[in-house]
Structure formats: C-alpha cells, structure tokens
Amino acid sequence: MWDYNDVVMDHFRNPRNVGVLEDPDGVGLVGSMACGDALKLMFKLDAAGRIQAVKFQTFGCASAIASSSALTEIIKGKTLEEAERVTNRDIAEYLGGLPEQKMHCSVMGRDALLVAIENYRKKQRGEEVDSEIKEASDITCVCFGVTRQEIVRAIQENNLTTVEQVTNYTKAGGGCGGCRDSIQFLLDDLHKAREKAAEARQKPTKPRRLTTIQKVQLIQETIEREIRPQLQKDGGDIELVDLDGRTVFVSMRGTCSQCKVADFTLKAVVQAKLREFVEPELIVVQAPLAEEEQA
Amino acid sequence: MSPAELHYLDNNATTRVAPEVVEAMLPFHTELYGNPSSIHRFGGQVHRHLERARESVARMLGAHPSEIVFTAGGSEGDNLAIRGALEAMDGRRRHLVTSRVEHPAVQVVFQHLAKQGYRVTEIGVDRDGALDMPQLEAALTPETALVSLMWANNETGVLFPVERVAALCKAKDIVFHTDAVQAAGKLPIDLSRAPIDLLTISGHKLHAPKGVGALYVRRGTRLTPQILGGHQEQGRRAGTENSASIVGLGVACELALAHMDEENVRVRRLRDRLEAGLLASCKGALVNGKVRLPNTLNVSFEFIEGESILIMLDDLGVAASSGSACASGSLEPSHVLRAMGVPFTAAHGSVRFSLSRYNTDADVDQVLAHMPGIVERLRAISPFVEELSPACQERSYSNS
C-alpha cells in the first residue's frame, strides 16, 4: 500500500475542478493509456488575463488524480506568467508531499500546464495547434514517451543526480531500461554544463564549421560512442554508408534490420544523437540495400 | 479494520490461517519446543509430528511422504527445484523451457540461468491465457534439460495442461517442474498418475502460515541441496525444521482435501456470481483468462486505472489486487496480461478478485453493490480516450 497522506487522499476522494470547459482558451493533454496515466487540462482567462476557470480530466492512480486536482487549485486566479513559474515541487508541496516513486504524477501536472499555456499562445499567434503530439525525434524514453526536454527540466528543477531519481520523477527508464544510459549521459552533460557555465560566459564560442571529412569522422565517432552500444544491447547494429550534404545514409544490421520500430529508432536514437553531437541539421535515412543483401 | 468490516477477496496473495491450523501449531510455540533432531525423547516427539505432517502433505498430492521436502515457502521451493535439479545434472544439456507468464520466483531464476550460459525458451500464451502447445512441443529438443511451467497462474487463475506436458517431457528424458503454489489445495492433484518430477507448494496460499512450504521430489529425481549445513530433510535442505509451521501446513493440507469439493462448487458459484454481476453492471468490463481456477476472477475495466479502483474498494472494506503499473510500484502493467496481449487500455484497469472457502455471499454483494459506482466515478474523471493522441494509442498496442 502506498503511504498517501490525508491531503492526497482528500484530493483523490474529492477532486476539485473535475470536468470539461466549453470553449477553453488553452488545452493541454499529456501522458497516454500506454503509460498508465494521462491528464487533460483546460483553462479560461478573464479580461485581465488571469486564469478564471480551470478543469481537468485524469486517467491514473490516486496520486495522479490528486496532483491534477492540486494543480487546478494552485493556478486558479494566476496570470499565465505566474502559472508558468509553478513547478512540480509546488504541486507536491501543496499536497504535503508524495511518495518518491509517485513524483512523476506531479511532473505530469506541471507538463500539462505548460502544454496548455503553449496551446493558448499558439492560438493567439494564429498557428496550428497540434502541440499535444510530441515530436518522435525528441523522445528519449520510448516506453513512456518522455522527451529529452522533459527529462532535462525535471533534472534542473529538482536537482536530480541519479537515473533512479529521474525515473521516479518522469518515468523515463522505468520500462525496458534501454534509455538509462542516455539519461546518465544527460545527467553527466548537465553536470558538466553547470561546471563550465562560468567559463563559457567569459569567452563566447563561435559556431564551428566542419569540413566533410571532419563531419564523417565526427559521425563515425558518435556512432561508435553513443549509438552502437545502445543498439548492440538489443542485438542490433548500425553502419555508416554515405554522407551527402546534410543527409546521412546508414544501414541497420542484426535485429534492427527486422525491427518494427527501426524507423523510430533511426529518428529517436540515431538522428537525435547525430544532431546533438555533430550538426543540428542532419537528416538520417536508411541506405538502399545493396543487391547481395536483398537476396 | 476489524474482520467484520473486511471483505477479503485477495486469497491468491495470501490466505487467512485456518483456526484449526492455529490451534494445532500453538503447542509447538509453547511446550513442544524441542529440536526434532535431538536424541532425547523431548525433541524426538516433535519429529513424529513432523512426519505426520509430511504424510498429510503427501496425501494431498498423491505422493509418498519420502518425496516431500519442507521449505520456507514457494520461492524457496522454485529455486531449489530448478537450480538443484540443474546442478545435479552433468551439464551437457544447456537448454531450458518455461513460459512468459511465470511467477517471478521462476522467471527471475531463469533470467539468472540465461546469464550463466543456458539457452532459455519462453513459451507464449494466447488471448485467453492458454499455453501455446505447438510452440512447446517444438521447443523440446535433445538439448533440453528442464521444463518449468506453473500449474495455475497467480494473476488470472489460468490453468496449464501440466500433466500432458509432464508426459511429453518424460518421453524425452527432460526434468519437469511445476509451480503449483496456486493450484495446490484448490484442484485435485495426484502425482502417482502424473509423471511430474518436481512440484512446489506454499503454505500461506492454502490457509497455513507464511514462511513454510514444500517441494515434492519424485523418487529418483536427482537434486543438489541449495542450503548446506545440515542433514535435515534427507540432506536436501539444511536447517532446523520450522516445526510449528510444518505442523500447520500438514493440518492445512488435510483441511484442503476435506474442502476440495466445496472449493469447486460453492466457491466457484460465488466467483461466477461475482463475474456475471460485474459484466452485467459495468460497461467496458472484460474477463482476463478462460480455463481457470474456481476461485479467481481477473477483470479489466477499460479506460480507468487499477490503483484508483483498489483504493476506492479499500474504503468499502474490500481487499483485492491489480495488475496495474501504479498499484505494483513498477511502472509497467502486469507481464502476464501483456503476454496475453491484453491492450494497455485494459491492462492498467485490471482487478483481481480471489476467493477462498471463508468468503460468503455478503462479500460478493458488497463488490456488486459498489463497483458500478466506482467505475462510473473514475470514468467521469478520465479524459475521453478518443482524444488521446493516435501515436500514443498505436504505441500502446504495438508494445504489447
């Protein structure tokens, strides 16, 4: 049994602001059935730009429902700028604390809020609003559809230092475990980034321009260091076939060659890593098979 | 919570210790504290009680008392059976077979063995939870050393045809083990007729206390002990016997035999009434598992989450469990339901009700009276599933 406190249980048993808003100004939906929890947040603003009405619908456990309920109480009456500053810690503190393994519920609340605010602003700017669907290339944890950005935010806001903590706060790494190394890299990177922050501020670096040979070398190195170990863990492999401008041709080997999610891996792992370490404009595609391989 | 307000429907997790069992155990916690291995009569008399318990366990299983090894429970039994049997072999056969829905006490042992160089084949199940027999038959090769399949699944109650599989293994000289922790005491078992080599039972699933169990080891089956340092249990399990609990297990097995018909008639009828009532009154309810134990009902309520259901049931004095990710403390729903291909929309909302001979109509009535309201309340909170992003939905099915 989870050790939920009375405030959590009260918000679970008597959730505030459940339901649907007609013509909301902003809507945010995060999570999925697959992940085991999902939250849809809707708000309306008054003339002064304050959140006048807010409603939610949640699929999930007691702490997910309680976190959603707490979030709505916290943001009511706030301007969007004020609401934006609400963190998952604020939600957890409002509830008098959540079990460590349930912290991801508070993070889900905070994520839904940001998506809803973004949804409102896009509408204001007259942009198309499909922000509810995450970009596949940003996803670090395939099992729970957690983006790199979400992980970074959770690490920074909660000063997380271990992969296990990241799992408790975002769920990332809690499924097949295939992304735990990537999370560790993120933790290491952010740690290094903090250390180097002061130094970097003193001497601004100019963006480097790579020659094709340098680029190929860097791609090879990145495959070797960042990508191949991940694929080999699942019995797969990858080879660099060619580079044409910004297009990288690779060949997926081993189990990857028959894998149903190979395309996804290509974008979510290979392309994401190459963009991160080589050049942000790179596009990764499967190289056409050579004839003897097709046989 | 006092037992009067409690509707205990979680008997596959653990059971109430039968009052007769408690009664029989008490003297061994007070005056009969002697060591059964002692030469003096004070200890020796305890030994005789242990042997009587051994006979009771053997009778329930259709076995000979010398084939019973007392253990500290189901997990120890499974570990001893699988690791002990493999260690006793010459190591030439390096292939093992199990299923995708085993209890962790078996599943994790096989994962460990795979790391040590054994090749492990996990047999799948269909949507009803039934074992893929063609796949199993194809998997048995001259390389195969051991097969372990559970008799009844703890989450769904689904039965595997272990007697048939045992015969197939016998013909190929393969050691066959079954985890019968959930089946023992609920179904008639006759090991004089089924060529099963090793069979695990656990006390606390059949109204004996926790921390005691038994492993059946067919005569002639070689087994290397996994706990060393004593001659007890014919050298197959060292350690001074847990005499009180072993005596309790003996009485529990006698009671189980005596109540076997009741389990299969009255308890089954209660379970069936619960099942029919829930299906009739709750929209989007579906039963997981077809050919099952008479006491188990695993039912999914689509688009709502199991932990929330359990907490609301708990408020009403109903104790049940769930295969949902949140309820288990892991982040993924039950491996059993996923192996069956139950979609995530239903796996997260699964609830297991498991009955025993201590349940009555009042327990079933309590669930039937409140479940439709709980489902409705949680569905009202749940965002409409049609509005979930198509990518997420697609992923949820392809992952399973």
Side-chain angles (χ1 to χ4, degrees), chain A residues 42-62:
Chain A
M42 295 145 270
F43 66 78
K44 258 181 183 263
L45 300 175
D46 64 14
R50 291 185 176 275
I51 295 174
Q52 170 211 3
V54 53
K55 293 267 187 198
F56 81 90
Q57 289 178 308
T58 290
F59 160 80
C61 55

Side-chain angles (χ1 to χ4, degrees), chain B residues 1 57 73 204 363 370 393:
Chain B
M1 182 173 298
V57 175
H204 76 109
D363 302 322
H370 295 282
Q393 282 191 43

Side-chain angles (χ1 to χ4, degrees), chain A residues 1-2 4 9 12-13 15 18 29 31-36 38 40 56-62 65 101-102 104 133 142-145 167 171 174-175, chain B residues 303-305 307-308 311-312 314-315 326-329 331-333 344-346 348 377-378 380-385 387-392 395-396 399:
Chain A
M1 198 66 187
W2 295 108
Y4 292 134
M9 288 306 284
F12 166 63
R13 293 196 180 104
V18 172
L29 174 71
S32 75
M33 288 300 304
C35 308
K40 187 177 186 182
F56 81 90
Q57 289 178 308
T58 290
F59 160 80
C61 55
I65 292 170
Q101 284 152 299
K102 294 287 189 177
H104 60 82
I133 298 169
V142 183
C143 298
F144 294 110
T167 304
K171 291 181 150 197
Chain B
F303 307 126
I304 55 177
E305 200 281 323
E307 185 200 287
S308 294
I311 294 178
M312 290 193 169
D314 189 49
D315 285 348
C326 296
S328 67
L331 290 168
E332 297 219 314
F344 276 81
T345 49
H348 283 293
R377 242 179 95 188
L378 290 172
I381 301 178
S382 179
F384 297 119
V385 71
E387 294 191 37
L388 287 171
S389 72
C392 279
R395 219 178 41 240
S396 70
N399 264 1

Side-chain angles (χ1 to χ4, degrees), chain A:
Chain A
M1 198 66 187
W2 295 108
D3 198 8
Y4 292 134
N5 66 41
D6 292 345
V7 185
V8 175
M9 288 306 284
D10 178 48
H11 275 267
F12 166 63
R13 293 196 180 104
N14 311 294
R16 330 299 198 249
N17 309 307
V18 172
V20 180
L21 276 183
E22 293 295 321
D23 300 321
D25 291 319
V27 185
L29 174 71
V30 294
S32 75
M33 288 300 304
C35 308
D37 44 23
L39 163 58
K40 187 177 186 182
L41 187 76
M42 295 145 270
F43 66 78
K44 258 181 183 263
L45 300 175
D46 64 14
R50 291 185 176 275
I51 295 174
Q52 170 211 3
V54 53
K55 293 267 187 198
F56 81 90
Q57 289 178 308
T58 290
F59 160 80
C61 55
S63 57
I65 292 170
S67 294
S68 311
S69 169
L71 169 70
T72 57
E73 290 288 281
I74 292 171
I75 64 171
K76 217 187 266 179
K78 284 193 161 56
T79 65
L80 293 189
E81 288 68 32
E82 289 164 352
E84 244 174 338
R85 287 199 290 273
V86 173
T87 66
N88 70 288
R89 298 176 76 90
D90 295 329
I91 298 172
E93 272 162 30
Y94 185 92
L95 290 168
L98 283 171
E100 183 75 1
Q101 284 152 299
K102 294 287 189 177
M103 284 301 286
H104 60 82
C105 296
S106 66
V107 174
M108 178 170 77
R110 146 45 186 282
D111 286 347
L113 174 62
L114 291 185
V115 173
I117 293 174
E118 181 60 17
N119 169 273
Y120 166 76
R121 290 189 176 142
K122 277 196 172 174
K123 275 195 254 178
Q124 292 300 102
R125 294 195 297 262
E127 289 174 27
E128 236 176 88
V129 280
D130 59 348
S131 61
E132 288 172 10
I133 298 169
K134 294 170 185 171
E135 276 287 317
S137 61
D138 290 339
I139 288 176
T140 298
C141 171
V142 183
C143 298
F144 294 110
V146 188
T147 63
R148 188 187 139 85
Q149 198 194 1
E150 284 164 344
I151 294 172
V152 169
R153 202 155 59 212
I155 292 173
Q156 287 173 336
E157 286 182 358
N158 299 284
N159 294 321
L160 307 183
T161 53
T162 66
V163 176
E164 195 190 348
Q165 282 180 320
V166 172
T167 304
N168 284 337
Y169 278 69
T170 65
K171 291 181 150 197
C176 70
C179 63
R180 280 187 203 135
D181 286 347
S182 310
I183 296 173
Q184 187 61 56
F185 279 128
L186 271 182
L187 284 164
D188 294 344
D189 282 355
L190 289 171
H191 184 69
K192 275 183 226 148
R194 268 198 300 274
E195 285 182 342
K196 285 187 182 170
E199 193 185 330
R201 248 178 266 124
Q202 284 169 350
K203 44 173 187 179
T205 51
K206 57 178 177 189
R208 54 187 172 170
R209 212 51 232 154
L210 297 172
T211 67
T212 306
I213 290 177
Q214 284 172 326
K215 221 189 282 182
V216 169
Q217 266 175 351
L218 199 51
I219 291 172
Q220 284 286 25
E221 280 171 28
T222 307
I223 287 178
E224 206 56 54
R225 190 183 66 236
E226 304 284 331
I227 301 168
R228 183 164 289 142
Q230 271 199 56
L231 301 185
Q232 282 178 341
K233 246 188 273 166
D234 293 326
D237 206 348
I238 185 169
E239 257 172 56
L240 175 64
V241 177
D242 202 359
L243 174 73
D244 185 3
R246 293 184 319 184
T247 310
V248 183
F249 293 93
V250 297
S251 162
M252 305 288 268
R253 303 285 164 112
T255 50
C256 289
S257 61
Q258 302 124 32
C259 177
K260 280 186 218 145
V261 293
D263 282 344
F264 184 79
T265 308
L266 204 63
K267 296 291 174 199
V269 180
V270 182
Q271 181 169 293
K273 288 287 177 201
L274 292 180
R275 284 179 173 188
E276 182 181 344
F277 291 100
V278 185
E279 216 175 65
E281 294 86 19
L282 290 180
I283 297 159
V284 178
V285 295
Q286 287 257 35
L289 284 181
E291 263 169 40
E292 67 272 12
E293 286 180 87
Q294 276 172 335

